[in-house]
Amino acid sequence: MGNCYTVGPNEALVVSGGCCGSDQKTYVVGGWAWAWWLISDIQKITLEIMTLQPKCEDVETAEGVAITVTGVAQVKIMTDKDLLAVASEQFLGKTVMEIKSVVLQTLEGHLRSILGTLTVEQIYQDRDQFARLVREVAAPDVGRMGIEILSFTIKDVYDKVDYLSSLGKTQTAAVQRDADIGVAEAERDAGIREAECKKEMMDVKFLADTKMADSKRQLEMQKASFNQEVNTKKAEAQLAYELQAAKEQQKIRLEEIEIEVVQRKKQIIIEEKEIDRMDKELIATVKRPAEAEAYKMQQLAEGQKIKKVLTAQAEAEKIRQIGEAEASSIKVVGKAEAEKMSILHYRIYS
């Protein structure tokens, strides 16, 4: 017959012994195990975190100064199967206080040995490094017991001859001195920096003003050049327009003269036809043939005379109008050429 045993997560169950005289051990962490009555041995070992307060009194440092150091360590039994077996061999059947006492003595021994290798200044000024050194040196030894050091910190460092107090005062004075020197140097540097900043500000302002003046001058020059170019283009466009308008006007006037000449020619033809009609009518009258013939000759002579006069007048008018149109065109073209030469002369010498 047997029985079932259970443990919480903060304990380990060690079952040893069994049928046929077996000496095999079974380790159960936070669970249950079956054990035979009167045959199996059931024991428990704690897995809780144990807090230790190692203390080394009046331990001489590397300089021979006796100091007292206290610390705080957190340790626990490891749950790895092999390490748990090691811890069981060391501490199975012991109380928590007995386990803490063994580990505490080990830590204090390493703490004492390390204190003898360091100066007071090293211990006092860099406690974290000191604690890390103790933990690294002690870890292998306690590890061989199946114990793990979770943390180790230095709680207090003091002495009975006021060495640390004097050291603190010296450091305080040195810190105050360095602070005063730092303030003076900072004020000096601030004054120098302020002067440099003012100079830089003046330089930047001068440079900005110079650039602004240059930009303004370039803008004015560009505007003047643009206005000159615009005015030149306007003058050229106006001149070209006037020249083209004069040419068109001359062309229109020539066409009008041609129309007037054609109209005059048609008028002459009409008048000739009228003369012919009158001649025929005269012939057809009751006048005597001689009188009719004489009258006819007279009328023909007058018709020829009128024809020549009208033709000469038309030609004279045509020549006069063509001359006026050409004179007007030459005048406009001359004016346009003179203005163009003036613009070119202005662009060359401006």
Side-chain angles (χ1 to χ4, degrees):
M1 296 296 290
N3 197 5
C4 180
Y5 297 88
T6 60
V7 290
N10 61 338
E11 288 181 314
L13 191 66
V14 181
V15 181
S16 58
C19 296
C20 303
S22 174
D23 59 353
Q24 183 179 1
K25 290 183 175 60
T26 303
Y27 302 94
V28 178
V29 177
W32 63 274
W34 179 267
W36 295 96
W37 288 350
L38 305 176
I39 298 176
S40 299
D41 183 31
I42 307 298
Q43 290 182 294
K44 296 179 181 180
I45 188 169
T46 181
L47 298 179
E48 291 183 348
I49 295 175
M50 294 174 283
T51 301
L52 308 177
Q53 295 185 354
K55 181 177 181 180
C56 294
E57 294 182 338
D58 299 329
V59 179
E60 291 188 356
T61 63
E63 297 173 332
V65 179
I67 63 173
T68 299
V69 176
T70 61
V72 177
Q74 305 290 341
V75 300
K76 71 181 295 294
I77 294 174
M78 290 182 279
T79 57
D80 180 80
K81 183 177 180 181
D82 295 335
L83 296 174
L84 182 58
V86 172
S88 298
E89 291 178 1
Q90 301 288 333
F91 304 113
L92 194 62
K94 295 183 179 296
T95 64
V96 173
M97 292 301 298
E98 290 174 335
I99 297 173
K100 291 171 67 175
S101 177
V102 173
V103 179
L104 180 61
Q105 291 178 12
T106 303
L107 288 177
E108 287 179 345
H110 286 293
L111 179 59
R112 184 179 298 273
S113 63
I114 293 173
L115 283 172
T117 63
L118 300 177
T119 65
V120 178
E121 288 78 4
Q122 291 175 326
I123 299 169
Y124 185 77
Q125 294 176 357
D126 196 352
R127 296 189 182 188
D128 292 338
Q129 178 64 25
F130 174 47
R132 186 162 46 252
L133 181 61
V134 173
R135 185 171 56 195
E136 291 174 356
V137 173
D141 284 348
V142 297
R144 283 189 286 271
M145 302 177 190
I147 301 294
E148 177 185 9
I149 301 176
L150 300 178
S151 68
F152 181 84
T153 58
I154 299 301
K155 183 178 180 181
D156 195 10
V157 178
Y158 59 91
D159 67 292
K160 298 179 180 179
V161 294
D162 295 333
Y163 182 88
L164 292 174
S165 176
S166 300
L167 179 64
K169 291 179 181 180
T170 303
Q171 291 180 345
T172 301
V175 170
Q176 184 63 41
R177 180 199 60 206
D178 294 341
D180 294 339
I181 294 173
V183 170
E185 291 178 349
E187 291 177 351
R188 179 201 62 195
D189 294 342
I192 295 173
R193 184 56 184 163
E194 183 179 1
E196 292 176 350
C197 290
K198 287 183 179 179
K199 183 179 180 300
E200 291 176 0
M201 182 180 67
M202 294 300 294
D203 292 342
V204 170
K205 185 176 184 300
F206 175 76
L207 182 61
D209 293 341
T210 302
K211 288 184 178 180
M212 186 179 297
D214 291 341
S215 299
K216 186 175 181 181
R217 181 173 64 255
Q218 290 179 2
L219 177 61
E220 294 297 332
M221 292 175 64
Q222 289 177 356
K223 287 173 64 177
S225 176
F226 177 74
N227 291 334
Q228 179 182 354
E229 186 176 356
V230 170
N231 293 333
T232 301
K233 294 296 183 181
K234 284 184 178 179
E236 290 177 354
Q238 183 66 25
L239 183 61
Y241 173 76
E242 292 178 356
L243 181 61
Q244 186 64 30
K247 290 180 180 179
E248 293 295 331
Q249 188 65 30
Q250 182 183 8
K251 183 178 179 181
I252 293 172
R253 185 56 185 159
L254 289 175
E255 291 177 354
E256 290 178 349
I257 292 172
E258 291 291 337
I259 293 173
E260 290 177 358
V261 171
V262 172
Q263 289 178 349
R264 287 296 181 91
K265 288 181 179 180
K266 289 182 179 180
Q267 184 67 28
I268 292 171
I269 293 172
I270 293 173
E271 290 178 354
E272 287 177 349
K273 288 182 178 181
E274 182 64 22
I275 292 172
D276 290 341
R277 187 191 64 78
M278 291 175 63
D279 288 341
K280 290 178 182 180
E281 185 179 354
L282 181 60
I283 293 171
T285 60
V286 293
K287 290 182 178 181
R288 291 176 298 175
E291 292 177 351
E293 185 67 22
Y295 184 73
K296 176 181 178 182
M297 294 301 293
Q298 183 182 0
Q299 291 297 320
L300 288 172
E302 291 180 356
Q304 290 295 327
K305 180 180 178 181
I306 293 171
K307 178 180 178 181
K308 290 179 179 181
V309 170
L310 292 175
T311 301
Q313 289 179 350
E315 288 297 328
E317 181 66 20
K318 176 181 177 183
I319 292 170
R320 184 184 66 78
Q321 292 180 357
I322 290 173
E324 291 178 354
E326 290 179 350
S328 176
S329 175
I330 290 171
K331 184 178 179 181
V332 172
V333 172
K335 182 181 178 182
E337 290 295 332
E339 292 180 353
K340 184 175 182 182
M341 290 300 294
S342 176
I343 293 171
L344 294 176
H345 183 272
Y346 172 75
R347 295 183 64 184
I348 292 172
Y349 293 97
S350 60

